[in-house]
Amino acid sequence: MAKQTLAFTCSACGASHKKWAGRCDTCGEWNSIQEEAPLAAGPKGKTIGAAKGRKIELSDLTTKDAPLPRSNCGIEELDRVLGGGLVPASAILVGGDPGIGKSTLLLQATAKFALTGKKAIYVSGEEAASQIRMRAQRLGLTKAPVQLASETNLRDILTTLEAERPDLVVIDSIQTMWVDHIDSAPGSVSQVRAVAHELTTFAKKRGVAVILVGHVTKDGQIAGPRVVEHMVDTVLYFEGERGHQFRILRAVKNRFGPADEIGVFQMTGSGLEEVTNPSALFLSDREKPAPGSVVFAGIEGTRPLLVEIQALVAQSALANARRTVVGWDSGRLSMILAVLESRAGVSFAGMDVYLNVAGGMRISEPAADLAVAAALISARLDMSLPGDLVIFGEISLSGGLRPISQAEARLKEAKKLGFSGAFAPSRMKLASTSGMTVKKVNDVATFITDCFGDIEA
Ligand code: TYD
Ligand code: MG
């Protein structure tokens, strides 16, 4: 008797397993392995056989093609994150927590795009057309010639798209769509994979830009399939803290542009507004200089961005002192604490350490090391740093400071926002055109002496 082989797939990381288990070996997630109907059987034979195919045409790299004709969607921050506008025949995945504003952003983008005279279709599997219209009213977009549909059956959607031939399609969200030849529920790994595959194929074949919305699980992966990330050309994450009005659109993969670009938005009562000067916004709530507060001059993508780093160090009542980080990497915090302890003699043993990047921003640059160290020591010593000072530099395990990129741009931005002094690693060439007083330091210990004087910690 032919036994049907079932596949077991982890809904968190997409790994496949031979049998069911309580915990996925690959990503360590509990209770995430689901039984899946196997994908349609592949071709029968073991090899492709002797039958001849058609000879394909090969070409060289010196092509005379015009550059891809990008079209702007009218939201400048979004266009920049995309690498300069939408590329036709591309598939874009926009991921983010539920309620962060994905539908709002994409409805605004679709409307602006449609107002440029191109054809745009917005398909929602989550909201009824009347709900979308209500949202559009609130956003003041009712005049835009966007065509709406509320549908989840992919076959019907594709048939409609074939007939309509739009320039841009938004599918909100990929987890609600289903294809009828697969037996599992919408949102399961095989459905999401099949839907993404059909839609990317459609995008390539018909020259349409397709934007897929994907929800993210609590640990930040696009629910179910990371496989979708491999299928599309561009992956954008929309993130932000729920209590804050800032939203950040971050490119994590982009076949047509830089992959570390960010766009900053502000959620208001009438939709998302672009923030053209994010540094000013991130620093606008800053109080007067306080212990533990340091301004880091960072770079996000191609743009300098100043953010405030806050630290709090307090005597711990616990056996294992607490280390809490928001907006930065916790492994990196442990590293900085260890370096401060062994190379500069500042001990944090028996103390709770809290670190926060203000405004709901997330920083991944190693250049923030020195600013973090400064915030920690300032909090530990209860001494505040001058309010007109910015800090950047990467710390190595030896306690030395490593040079970082784009120092000029960082200094220029700081100058623009009214800062006058900076600390930077010494092994860096700096043109003296920025108008800032830059103090160069060799290692963390020197930095501490320069900044806080002789300390005994
Ligand atoms: P939404 O775009 O529905 O989120 P997602 O599609 O990512 O799940 O955003 C919903 C949130 O945005 C909701 O909490 C209300 C808020 N919001 C505003 O603050 N102002 C607005 O104009 C709109 C449309 C939504
Ligand atoms: Mg939504």
Side-chain angles (χ1 to χ4, degrees), residues 147-222:
Q147 294 185 293
L148 296 179
S150 178
E151 181 55 63
T152 55
N153 182 344
L154 194 72
R155 191 180 296 273
D156 295 346
I157 293 173
L158 286 176
T159 309
T160 316
L161 296 180
E162 285 284 353
E164 297 281 338
R165 290 297 175 90
D167 300 294
L168 170 69
V169 183
V170 175
I171 303 286
D172 186 6
S173 68
I174 186 160
Q175 272 101 0
T176 54
M177 302 293 155
W178 54 280
V179 291
D180 47 18
H181 63 270
I182 290 179
D183 254 354
S184 48
S188 63
V189 177
S190 42
Q191 281 287 4
V192 171
R193 193 156 39 190
V195 171
H197 177 72
E198 293 291 340
L199 284 167
T200 39
T201 315
F202 170 79
K204 303 282 159 195
K205 236 173 29 201
R206 298 289 178 237
V208 177
V210 175
I211 301 183
L212 310 171
V213 175
H215 292 296
V216 158
T217 58
K218 58 183 184 309
D219 35 319
Q221 295 186 339
I222 292 193

Coordinates of all heavy atoms in Angstrom, one line a residue, residues 147-222:
Q147 N -8.4 51.1 -7.0 CA -9.4 50.1 -7.1 C -9.3 49.2 -6.0 O -8.2 48.6 -5.7 CB -9.4 49.5 -8.5 CG -9.7 50.5 -9.5 CD -9.8 49.9 -10.9 OE1 -8.8 49.4 -11.4 NE2 -11.0 49.9 -11.4
L148 N -10.4 48.9 -5.3 CA -10.4 48.1 -4.1 C -11.0 46.7 -4.3 O -11.9 46.6 -5.1 CB -11.2 48.8 -2.9 CG -10.7 50.1 -2.4 CD1 -11.7 50.6 -1.3 CD2 -9.3 50.0 -1.9
A149 N -10.5 45.7 -3.6 CA -11.2 44.5 -3.6 C -11.0 43.9 -2.2 O -10.0 44.1 -1.6 CB -10.7 43.5 -4.7
S150 N -12.0 43.1 -1.8 CA -11.9 42.4 -0.5 C -12.0 40.9 -0.9 O -13.1 40.5 -1.2 CB -13.0 42.8 0.4 OG -12.9 42.1 1.6
E151 N -10.9 40.2 -0.9 CA -11.0 38.8 -1.5 C -9.8 38.0 -0.9 O -8.7 38.6 -0.6 CB -10.9 38.9 -3.0 CG -10.9 37.6 -3.7 CD -12.1 36.8 -3.4 OE1 -13.3 37.2 -3.6 OE2 -11.9 35.7 -2.8
T152 N -10.0 36.7 -0.7 CA -8.9 35.9 -0.2 C -8.5 34.8 -1.2 O -7.5 34.1 -1.0 CB -9.2 35.3 1.1 OG1 -10.4 34.6 1.0 CG2 -9.3 36.4 2.2
N153 N -9.3 34.5 -2.2 CA -9.1 33.4 -3.1 C -8.1 33.8 -4.2 O -8.4 34.7 -5.0 CB -10.4 32.9 -3.7 CG -10.2 31.7 -4.6 OD1 -9.1 31.4 -5.0 ND2 -11.3 31.0 -4.9
L154 N -6.9 33.3 -4.1 CA -5.9 33.7 -5.0 C -6.2 33.5 -6.5 O -5.8 34.3 -7.4 CB -4.5 33.1 -4.7 CG -3.4 33.8 -5.4 CD1 -3.1 35.1 -4.7 CD2 -2.1 33.0 -5.3
R155 N -6.9 32.4 -6.8 CA -7.3 32.2 -8.2 C -8.1 33.3 -8.8 O -7.8 33.8 -9.9 CB -8.0 30.8 -8.3 CG -8.2 30.4 -9.8 CD -8.9 29.0 -9.8 NE -8.2 28.0 -9.2 CZ -7.3 27.2 -9.8 NH1 -7.0 27.4 -11.0 NH2 -6.7 26.2 -9.1
D156 N -9.1 33.8 -8.0 CA -10.0 34.9 -8.4 C -9.1 36.2 -8.5 O -9.3 36.9 -9.5 CB -11.1 35.1 -7.5 CG -12.0 33.9 -7.4 OD1 -11.9 33.0 -8.3 OD2 -12.9 33.8 -6.5
I157 N -8.3 36.3 -7.6 CA -7.5 37.6 -7.6 C -6.6 37.6 -8.8 O -6.5 38.6 -9.6 CB -6.6 37.7 -6.3 CG1 -7.5 37.8 -5.1 CG2 -5.6 38.8 -6.4 CD1 -6.7 37.8 -3.8
L158 N -5.9 36.5 -9.2 CA -5.0 36.5 -10.3 C -5.8 36.7 -11.6 O -5.3 37.4 -12.5 CB -4.2 35.1 -10.3 CG -3.1 35.1 -9.3 CD1 -2.4 33.7 -9.4 CD2 -2.1 36.2 -9.5
T159 N -7.0 36.0 -11.7 CA -7.8 36.2 -12.9 C -8.1 37.7 -13.1 O -8.0 38.2 -14.2 CB -9.1 35.4 -12.8 OG1 -8.7 34.1 -12.4 CG2 -9.8 35.4 -14.1
T160 N -8.5 38.3 -12.0 CA -8.9 39.7 -12.1 C -7.6 40.6 -12.5 O -7.7 41.5 -13.3 CB -9.3 40.2 -10.7 OG1 -10.2 39.3 -10.2 CG2 -10.0 41.6 -10.8
L161 N -6.5 40.3 -11.9 CA -5.3 41.0 -12.2 C -4.9 40.9 -13.7 O -4.4 41.8 -14.3 CB -4.1 40.6 -11.3 CG -4.4 41.0 -9.8 CD1 -3.1 40.5 -9.0 CD2 -4.6 42.4 -9.6
E162 N -5.0 39.6 -14.2 CA -4.7 39.4 -15.6 C -5.5 40.3 -16.5 O -5.1 40.8 -17.5 CB -5.0 37.9 -15.9 CG -4.0 36.9 -15.4 CD -2.7 36.9 -16.2 OE1 -2.6 37.6 -17.2 OE2 -1.7 36.2 -15.8
A163 N -6.8 40.4 -16.1 CA -7.7 41.2 -16.9 C -7.5 42.7 -16.8 O -7.5 43.4 -17.8 CB -9.2 40.9 -16.6
E164 N -7.1 43.1 -15.6 CA -7.0 44.6 -15.3 C -5.6 45.1 -15.7 O -5.5 46.3 -16.0 CB -7.3 44.8 -13.8 CG -8.7 44.5 -13.4 CD -9.7 45.6 -13.8 OE1 -9.3 46.7 -14.0 OE2 -10.9 45.3 -13.9
R165 N -4.6 44.3 -15.6 CA -3.2 44.7 -15.9 C -2.8 46.0 -15.2 O -2.6 47.1 -15.8 CB -3.0 44.9 -17.4 CG -3.0 43.6 -18.1 CD -1.8 42.8 -17.7 NE -1.8 41.4 -18.3 CZ -1.3 41.2 -19.5 NH1 -0.6 42.1 -20.1 NH2 -1.3 40.0 -20.0
P166 N -2.8 46.0 -13.8 CA -2.4 47.3 -13.1 C -0.9 47.5 -13.1 O -0.2 46.6 -13.6 CB -2.9 47.0 -11.7 CG -2.8 45.5 -11.6 CD -3.1 44.9 -12.9
D167 N -0.5 48.6 -12.7 CA 1.0 48.9 -12.5 C 1.4 48.5 -11.1 O 2.6 48.2 -10.9 CB 1.3 50.3 -12.7 CG 0.9 50.8 -14.1 OD1 1.5 50.3 -15.1 OD2 0.0 51.6 -14.2
L168 N 0.5 48.5 -10.1 CA 0.9 48.2 -8.8 C -0.3 47.5 -8.1 O -1.4 47.8 -8.2 CB 1.1 49.5 -8.0 CG 1.3 49.4 -6.5 CD1 2.6 48.7 -6.1 CD2 1.3 50.8 -5.8
V169 N 0.1 46.4 -7.4 CA -0.9 45.6 -6.7 C -0.4 45.5 -5.2 O 0.7 45.2 -5.0 CB -1.1 44.2 -7.2 CG1 -2.2 43.5 -6.4 CG2 -1.4 44.2 -8.7
V170 N -1.3 45.8 -4.3 CA -1.0 45.5 -2.9 C -1.9 44.4 -2.4 O -3.1 44.4 -2.6 CB -1.3 46.8 -2.0 CG1 -1.1 46.5 -0.5 CG2 -0.4 47.9 -2.5
I171 N -1.2 43.4 -1.8 CA -1.9 42.2 -1.2 C -1.8 42.3 0.3 O -0.7 42.1 0.8 CB -1.3 40.9 -1.7 CG1 -1.3 40.8 -3.3 CG2 -2.0 39.7 -1.1 CD1 -2.6 40.6 -3.9
D172 N -2.9 42.5 1.0 CA -2.9 42.8 2.4 C -3.8 41.7 3.1 O -5.0 41.8 3.0 CB -3.4 44.2 2.7 CG -3.3 44.6 4.1 OD1 -2.7 43.8 4.9 OD2 -3.8 45.7 4.5
S173 N -3.4 40.7 3.7 CA -2.0 40.3 3.9 C -1.8 38.9 3.3 O -2.8 38.2 3.0 CB -1.7 40.2 5.4 OG -2.4 39.2 5.9
I174 N -0.6 38.5 3.1 CA -0.3 37.2 2.5 C -0.8 36.1 3.4 O -1.1 35.0 2.9 CB 1.2 37.1 2.2 CG1 1.5 35.8 1.5 CG2 2.1 37.2 3.5 CD1 2.8 35.8 0.8
Q175 N -0.9 36.3 4.7 CA -1.4 35.3 5.6 C -2.9 35.0 5.5 O -3.4 34.0 6.0 CB -1.1 35.6 7.1 CG 0.3 35.2 7.5 CD 1.3 36.3 7.5 OE1 0.9 37.4 7.2 NE2 2.5 36.0 7.9
T176 N -3.6 35.8 4.8 CA -5.1 35.6 4.7 C -5.4 35.0 3.3 O -6.5 34.6 3.1 CB -5.9 36.9 4.8 OG1 -5.3 37.8 3.8 CG2 -5.8 37.5 6.2
M177 N -4.4 34.9 2.4 CA -4.7 34.4 1.0 C -4.6 32.9 1.0 O -3.8 32.3 1.7 CB -3.7 35.1 0.0 CG -3.8 36.6 0.0 SD -5.4 37.1 -0.6 CE -5.5 38.7 0.1
W178 N -5.3 32.3 0.1 CA -5.2 30.8 -0.1 C -5.3 30.4 -1.5 O -6.0 31.0 -2.3 CB -6.2 30.1 0.8 CG -7.6 30.5 0.6 CD1 -8.2 31.7 1.1 CD2 -8.6 29.9 -0.2 NE1 -9.5 31.8 0.7 CE2 -9.8 30.7 -0.1 CE3 -8.6 28.8 -1.0 CZ2 -10.9 30.4 -0.8 CZ3 -9.8 28.4 -1.7 CH2 -10.9 29.3 -1.6
V179 N -4.6 29.3 -1.9 CA -4.8 28.7 -3.2 C -5.6 27.4 -3.0 O -5.5 26.8 -2.0 CB -3.5 28.4 -3.9 CG1 -2.8 29.7 -4.2 CG2 -2.6 27.6 -3.0
D180 N -6.4 27.1 -4.0 CA -7.4 26.0 -3.8 C -6.8 24.6 -4.0 O -7.4 23.6 -3.7 CB -8.6 26.2 -4.6 CG -8.3 26.6 -6.0 OD1 -7.2 26.3 -6.5 OD2 -9.2 27.1 -6.7
H181 N -5.5 24.5 -4.5 CA -5.0 23.2 -4.7 C -4.2 22.7 -3.5 O -3.7 21.6 -3.5 CB -4.2 23.1 -6.0 CG -2.9 24.0 -6.0 ND1 -3.0 25.2 -6.4 CD2 -1.7 23.7 -5.5 CE1 -1.8 25.8 -6.3 NE2 -1.0 24.9 -5.8
I182 N -4.2 23.5 -2.5 CA -3.5 23.0 -1.3 C -4.5 23.0 -0.1 O -5.3 23.9 0.0 CB -2.3 24.0 -0.9 CG1 -1.2 23.8 -2.0 CG2 -1.8 23.7 0.5 CD1 0.0 24.7 -1.8
D183 N -4.4 21.9 0.6 CA -5.4 21.6 1.6 C -5.3 22.2 3.0 O -6.2 22.0 3.8 CB -5.4 20.0 1.8 CG -6.6 19.4 1.1 OD1 -7.4 20.2 0.6 OD2 -6.7 18.2 1.1
S184 N -4.3 23.0 3.2 CA -4.1 23.5 4.6 C -4.7 24.9 4.7 O -5.1 25.5 3.7 CB -2.7 23.4 5.0 OG -1.9 24.0 4.0
A185 N -4.8 25.3 5.9 CA -5.5 26.6 6.2 C -4.6 27.8 5.8 O -3.4 27.7 5.7 CB -5.7 26.7 7.7
P186 N -5.3 28.9 5.5 CA -4.6 30.1 5.1 C -3.6 30.5 6.3 O -3.9 30.3 7.4 CB -5.7 31.2 5.0 CG -6.9 30.4 4.8 CD -6.8 29.1 5.4
G187 N -2.4 30.9 5.9 CA -1.5 31.3 6.9 C -0.5 30.2 7.3 O 0.5 30.4 7.9
S188 N -0.8 29.0 6.8 CA 0.1 27.9 7.1 C 1.3 28.0 6.1 O 1.2 28.7 5.1 CB -0.6 26.5 6.9 OG -1.0 26.4 5.6
V189 N 2.4 27.3 6.5 CA 3.6 27.5 5.7 C 3.4 27.2 4.2 O 3.8 27.9 3.3 CB 4.7 26.6 6.2 CG1 6.0 26.8 5.4 CG2 5.0 27.0 7.6
S190 N 2.7 26.0 3.9 CA 2.6 25.7 2.5 C 1.7 26.7 1.7 O 2.0 27.0 0.6 CB 2.1 24.2 2.3 OG 1.1 23.9 3.2
Q191 N 0.6 27.2 2.4 CA -0.2 28.2 1.7 C 0.6 29.5 1.4 O 0.5 30.0 0.3 CB -1.4 28.5 2.6 CG -2.6 27.5 2.5 CD -3.3 27.5 1.2 OE1 -3.0 28.3 0.3 NE2 -4.4 26.7 1.2
V192 N 1.2 29.9 2.5 CA 1.9 31.2 2.3 C 3.0 31.1 1.2 O 3.2 32.0 0.4 CB 2.6 31.6 3.6 CG1 3.5 32.8 3.4 CG2 1.5 32.0 4.6
R193 N 3.7 29.9 1.2 CA 4.7 29.7 0.2 C 4.1 29.7 -1.2 O 4.6 30.3 -2.1 CB 5.4 28.4 0.5 CG 6.7 28.2 -0.2 CD 7.6 27.2 0.5 NE 6.9 26.1 1.1 CZ 7.6 25.2 1.9 NH1 8.8 25.4 2.2 NH2 6.9 24.2 2.4
A194 N 3.0 29.0 -1.3 CA 2.4 28.9 -2.7 C 1.9 30.2 -3.1 O 2.1 30.6 -4.3 CB 1.3 27.8 -2.6
V195 N 1.2 31.0 -2.2 CA 0.7 32.3 -2.6 C 1.8 33.2 -3.0 O 1.7 33.9 -4.0 CB -0.1 32.9 -1.4 CG1 -0.5 34.3 -1.7 CG2 -1.4 32.0 -1.1
A196 N 2.9 33.2 -2.2 CA 4.0 34.1 -2.5 C 4.6 33.7 -3.9 O 5.0 34.6 -4.7 CB 5.1 34.0 -1.4
H197 N 4.7 32.4 -4.1 CA 5.3 32.0 -5.4 C 4.4 32.4 -6.6 O 4.9 32.9 -7.6 CB 5.4 30.4 -5.4 CG 5.9 29.9 -6.7 ND1 7.2 30.1 -7.1 CD2 5.3 29.2 -7.7 CE1 7.4 29.5 -8.3 NE2 6.2 29.0 -8.6
E198 N 3.1 32.2 -6.5 CA 2.2 32.6 -7.6 C 2.3 34.1 -7.8 O 2.4 34.5 -9.0 CB 0.7 32.2 -7.2 CG 0.4 30.8 -7.1 CD 0.5 30.1 -8.5 OE1 0.4 30.8 -9.5 OE2 0.6 28.8 -8.5
L199 N 2.3 34.9 -6.7 CA 2.3 36.3 -6.9 C 3.6 36.9 -7.5 O 3.6 37.8 -8.3 CB 1.9 37.0 -5.6 CG 0.4 36.9 -5.3 CD1 0.2 37.3 -3.8 CD2 -0.4 37.8 -6.2
T200 N 4.7 36.3 -7.0 CA 6.0 36.8 -7.6 C 6.1 36.4 -9.0 O 6.6 37.1 -9.8 CB 7.2 36.2 -6.8 OG1 7.0 34.9 -6.4 CG2 7.5 37.0 -5.5
T201 N 5.7 35.2 -9.4 CA 5.7 34.8 -10.8 C 4.8 35.7 -11.6 O 5.3 36.1 -12.7 CB 5.1 33.3 -10.9 OG1 5.7 32.5 -9.9 CG2 5.5 32.7 -12.3
F202 N 3.7 36.1 -11.1 CA 2.8 37.0 -11.8 C 3.5 38.3 -12.0 O 3.5 38.9 -13.1 CB 1.5 37.2 -11.0 CG 0.6 38.3 -11.6 CD1 -0.2 38.1 -12.7 CD2 0.6 39.5 -11.0 CE1 -0.9 39.1 -13.2 CE2 -0.2 40.6 -11.5 CZ -1.0 40.3 -12.6
A203 N 4.2 38.8 -10.9 CA 4.9 40.1 -11.0 C 5.9 40.1 -12.1 O 6.0 41.0 -12.9 CB 5.5 40.4 -9.7
K204 N 6.7 39.0 -12.2 CA 7.8 38.9 -13.2 C 7.2 38.8 -14.6 O 7.7 39.4 -15.5 CB 8.7 37.7 -12.9 CG 9.3 37.6 -11.5 CD 10.5 38.5 -11.4 CE 10.7 38.9 -9.9 NZ 11.5 39.9 -9.6
K205 N 6.2 38.0 -14.7 CA 5.7 37.7 -16.1 C 5.0 38.9 -16.7 O 5.0 39.2 -17.9 CB 4.7 36.5 -16.0 CG 5.1 35.4 -16.9 CD 4.4 34.1 -16.8 CE 2.9 34.1 -16.4 NZ 2.5 32.8 -15.9
R206 N 4.2 39.6 -15.8 CA 3.4 40.7 -16.3 C 4.0 42.1 -16.1 O 3.3 43.1 -16.4 CB 2.0 40.6 -15.7 CG 1.3 39.3 -16.0 CD 0.8 39.3 -17.5 NE 0.2 38.1 -17.8 CZ 0.6 37.2 -18.7 NH1 1.6 37.5 -19.5 NH2 -0.1 36.1 -19.0
G207 N 5.2 42.2 -15.5 CA 5.8 43.5 -15.3 C 5.1 44.4 -14.3 O 5.1 45.6 -14.4
V208 N 4.4 43.8 -13.3 CA 3.7 44.5 -12.3 C 4.5 44.6 -11.0 O 5.1 43.6 -10.7 CB 2.3 43.8 -12.1 CG1 1.5 44.5 -11.0 CG2 1.5 43.7 -13.3
A209 N 4.4 45.7 -10.3 CA 5.0 45.7 -9.0 C 4.0 45.2 -8.0 O 2.9 45.7 -7.9 CB 5.4 47.1 -8.6
V210 N 4.4 44.2 -7.2 CA 3.5 43.5 -6.3 C 4.0 43.8 -4.9 O 5.2 43.4 -4.6 CB 3.3 42.0 -6.5 CG1 2.5 41.4 -5.5 CG2 2.7 41.8 -7.9
I211 N 3.2 44.3 -4.0 CA 3.6 44.5 -2.6 C 2.8 43.6 -1.7 O 1.6 43.5 -1.8 CB 3.4 46.0 -2.1 CG1 4.1 46.9 -3.0 CG2 3.8 46.1 -0.7 CD1 4.0 48.4 -2.6
L212 N 3.5 42.7 -1.0 CA 2.9 41.7 -0.1 C 3.0 42.2 1.3 O 4.1 42.6 1.7 CB 3.5 40.4 -0.2 CG 3.7 39.8 -1.6 CD1 4.6 38.6 -1.6 CD2 2.4 39.5 -2.2
V213 N 1.9 42.2 2.1 CA 2.0 42.5 3.5 C 2.2 41.2 4.3 O 1.5 40.2 4.0 CB 0.7 43.3 3.9 CG1 0.8 43.5 5.4 CG2 0.6 44.5 3.2
G214 N 3.1 41.2 5.2 CA 3.2 40.0 6.0 C 3.2 40.3 7.5 O 3.9 41.3 7.9
H215 N 2.6 39.5 8.3 CA 2.6 39.8 9.8 C 3.8 39.2 10.4 O 4.4 38.2 9.9 CB 1.4 39.3 10.5 CG 0.1 40.0 10.1 ND1 0.0 41.3 10.4 CD2 -0.9 39.6 9.4 CE1 -1.2 41.7 9.9 NE2 -1.8 40.7 9.3
V216 N 4.2 39.7 11.5 CA 5.5 39.2 12.1 C 5.1 38.6 13.5 O 4.2 39.0 14.1 CB 6.4 40.5 12.3 CG1 7.4 40.3 13.4 CG2 7.0 40.8 11.0
T217 N 5.8 37.5 13.8 CA 5.6 36.9 15.1 C 6.2 37.6 16.2 O 6.9 38.6 15.9 CB 6.2 35.4 15.1 OG1 7.6 35.6 14.8 CG2 5.5 34.6 14.1
K218 N 6.0 37.2 17.4 CA 6.5 38.0 18.5 C 8.0 38.2 18.5 O 8.5 39.2 19.0 CB 6.0 37.4 19.9 CG 6.4 36.0 20.1 CD 5.8 35.5 21.4 CE 6.3 34.1 21.8 NZ 6.2 33.1 20.8
D219 N 8.7 37.2 18.0 CA 10.2 37.4 18.0 C 10.7 37.9 16.7 O 11.8 37.8 16.3 CB 10.9 36.1 18.4 CG 10.2 34.9 17.9 OD1 9.0 34.9 18.0 OD2 10.9 33.9 17.4
G220 N 9.8 38.6 15.9 CA 10.3 39.4 14.8 C 10.5 38.7 13.5 O 11.1 39.3 12.6
Q221 N 10.0 37.5 13.3 CA 10.1 36.9 12.0 C 8.8 37.0 11.3 O 7.7 37.0 12.0 CB 10.5 35.4 12.2 CG 11.8 35.2 12.8 CD 12.3 33.8 12.8 OE1 11.5 32.9 12.7 NE2 13.6 33.6 12.9
I222 N 8.8 37.1 10.0 CA 7.6 37.1 9.3 C 6.9 35.8 9.5 O 7.5 34.7 9.2 CB 7.8 37.4 7.8 CG1 8.4 38.9 7.7 CG2 6.6 37.3 7.0 CD1 8.4 39.5 6.4

